[in-house]
Amino acid sequence: MKEQLELIKAQAIAALDTADTPAALEELRVRYLGKKGELTAVLKMMGKLSAEERPVMGQIANSVRADIENMLEQRKSAVHAAALDAKLAAEKIDVTIPGNTVAMGHEHPMNKVLQEIKDIFVGMGYQIVDGPEVELAAYNFTRLNIEEGHPSRDRSDTFYFTDDDKVLLRTQTSPMQVRVMENAKPPICILAPGRVYRKDEADATHSPMFHQIEGLVVDENITMGDLKGALITVMRRIYGQDAQMRFRPHHFPFTEPSCEMDMQCHKCHGTGEIDGQVCSTCHGEGWIELLGAGMVHPDVLKGCGIDPEKYSGFAFGMGLERMAMGRMRINDLRLIFDNVVRFLNQF
Ligand code: PHE
């Protein structure tokens, strides 16, 4: 019986030594130490031994059991450690590998210029206001002195929503003059940037959607001198102190007198040519048109409940794309709307 016990121990130790998975170890535990295991089977025969032999065998059996249990525990932790090592090796992460860079965008050049212009006007006391792009013909035309039949109301120029031509996509930001004046009392000093729409074929200087910035100042004793002073100040802030401006007489139904403001071409410095060739930026004009402006027509003031005997005002409307093209030296309007990243990255 002693030999039997020694044999079981030797076999169990040898088997445990080569078992290298938790499942294999559990199988060996059941086989040697379990209720129906080999050791238990030997112990069941203890009853047949003599009273002297029994404690001796009992002691041997207990020590065999303890040895197998010890070995089992040792192998369990060895297998567990090996499994952990394998897992760590397989799932190893190199935290020093550079990550995937996320491409960061930036503000569109036109919005940069818009922000610059807004900042300058806000610094001069103007309030920024916003208004509808879907507008009533009453605001876009009629109340600005642009009567029925005026060529700018033509269906070939304007996007109308209704057959009676009463609702449209605004063709200018000037309706904001009426919207502000009918709701506020002078002094009024506002800037209204926004999208406008005209049925234009897109080319280097035209687009069916573009942006204007409307300005309106109404108070007592506002003169054309205030208009010129404000606009020259702003343009010099944007284009530099040596920028040259000129005002030309013009006609708008809602201002009287009216004018347009030009900036001397930054490319040919007003000569209209570069190396004997016609300047491509100003088309030989020497000047670039920036905006329309004028003194608010007395009838427009009256129509908004403002007494033209007491108050006067000036208004202007500039093309934002044109300002951005001059500021950023962009020579084709379509580049501003194409959203080609290679182009936009330059700014
Ligand atoms: N709305 C005019 C245009 O689109 C510009 C303008 C604005 C002229 C304000 C005078 C006063 O051409």
Side-chain angles (χ1 to χ4, degrees):
M1 188 162 182
K2 186 175 175 220
E3 291 75 41
Q4 241 179 317
L5 285 170
E6 292 296 344
L7 185 64
I8 289 173
K9 177 176 159 182
Q11 281 174 344
I13 299 284
L16 283 170
D17 206 32
T18 55
D20 55 5
T21 65
L25 290 173
E26 176 61 12
E27 199 186 303
L28 291 176
R29 186 191 66 79
V30 172
R31 171 140 130 229
Y32 289 104
L33 305 175
K35 272 189 188 144
K36 292 176 183 166
E38 294 190 18
L39 195 59
T40 317
V42 175
L43 290 177
K44 275 181 186 155
M45 305 191 308
M46 292 275 271
K48 293 181 186 141
L49 295 176
S50 68
E52 296 84 58
E53 276 178 319
R54 211 177 292 155
V56 181
M57 280 305 146
Q59 216 171 13
I60 294 175
N62 279 340
S63 99
V64 166
R65 181 176 195 94
D67 287 349
I68 294 176
E69 275 172 355
N70 278 341
M71 180 70 173
L72 185 68
E73 282 316 306
Q74 267 178 37
R75 291 297 300 146
K76 266 191 190 167
S77 31
V79 166
H80 180 74
L84 189 62
D85 282 348
K87 194 172 171 189
L88 286 175
E91 296 176 4
K92 152 165 96 185
I93 295 168
D94 182 351
V95 293
T96 66
I97 291 174
N100 297 329
T101 49
V102 178
M104 284 293 281
H106 63 71
E107 220 175 354
H108 191 282
M110 198 192 65
N111 273 316
K112 280 190 181 172
V113 174
L114 172 61
Q115 205 51 52
E116 213 174 293
I117 295 171
K118 276 160 72 172
D119 279 351
I120 293 169
F121 276 104
V122 166
M124 293 168 70
Y126 286 70
Q127 200 187 328
I128 311 291
V129 297
D130 199 10
E133 289 169 29
V134 176
E135 186 54 284
L136 299 173
Y139 286 93
N140 195 88
F141 296 128
T142 317
R143 295 180 67 181
L144 289 169
N145 262 355
I146 306 171
E147 51 208 29
E148 297 290 340
H150 190 280
S152 71
R153 300 182 78 134
D154 205 285
R155 296 209 126 226
S156 63
D157 289 343
T158 301
F159 294 103
Y160 287 101
F161 284 99
T162 52
D163 288 336
D164 60 5
D165 293 0
K166 280 192 171 145
V167 184
L168 47 77
L169 283 172
R170 67 179 175 189
T171 63
Q172 50 184 356
T173 44
S174 297
M176 285 307 291
Q177 293 182 31
V178 180
R179 287 187 174 272
V180 169
M181 284 193 287
E182 71 177 2
N183 285 313
K185 297 244 165 299
I188 291 167
C189 189
I190 60 98
L191 198 72
R195 293 188 192 90
V196 300
Y197 302 84
R198 293 180 195 174
K199 282 191 181 170
D200 275 326
E201 212 75 58
D203 65 19
T205 53
H206 293 86
S207 157
M209 187 284 297
F210 57 104
H211 296 76
Q212 284 188 335
I213 303 175
E214 195 80 9
L216 173 71
V217 175
V218 184
D219 201 355
E220 290 179 40
N221 302 316
I222 297 292
T223 69
M224 195 88 182
D226 296 312
L227 162 67
K228 291 178 74 173
L231 291 175
I232 289 173
T233 303
V234 169
M235 293 305 162
R236 294 224 162 119
R237 293 276 292 277
I238 298 170
Y239 293 108
Q241 283 306 314
D242 53 353
Q244 293 297 314
M245 258 75 64
R246 75 173 181 190
F247 289 85
R248 275 180 296 105
H250 200 76
H251 170 77
F252 297 104
F254 42 96
T255 47
E256 180 58 35
S258 304
C259 62
E260 280 191 333
M261 188 175 89
D262 301 336
M263 184 181 63
Q264 195 171 72
C265 180
H266 53 80
K267 203 100 170 264
C268 65
H269 302 285
T271 61
E273 54 180 64
I274 291 174
D275 303 332
Q277 303 267 18
V278 172
C279 174
S280 60
T281 303
C282 64
H283 306 292
E285 291 287 327
W287 296 87
I288 298 166
E289 182 199 316
L290 287 182
L291 56 85
M295 301 306 292
V296 182
H297 197 290
D299 289 348
V300 175
L301 290 172
K302 224 183 286 171
C304 294
I306 293 175
D307 179 4
E309 298 297 329
K310 187 168 181 210
Y311 296 106
S312 55
F314 69 77
F316 58 85
M318 53 180 132
L320 174 57
E321 283 79 7
R322 195 157 288 188
M323 300 284 294
M325 285 167 78
R327 178 77 177 73
M328 302 293 199
R329 315 238 152 154
I330 297 167
N331 55 20
D332 191 319
L333 177 72
R334 285 164 293 190
L335 290 168
I336 293 181
F337 301 121
D338 278 350
N339 281 334
V340 175
V341 173
R342 202 157 32 88
F343 166 77
L344 296 174
N345 274 345
Q346 300 174 88
F347 303 97

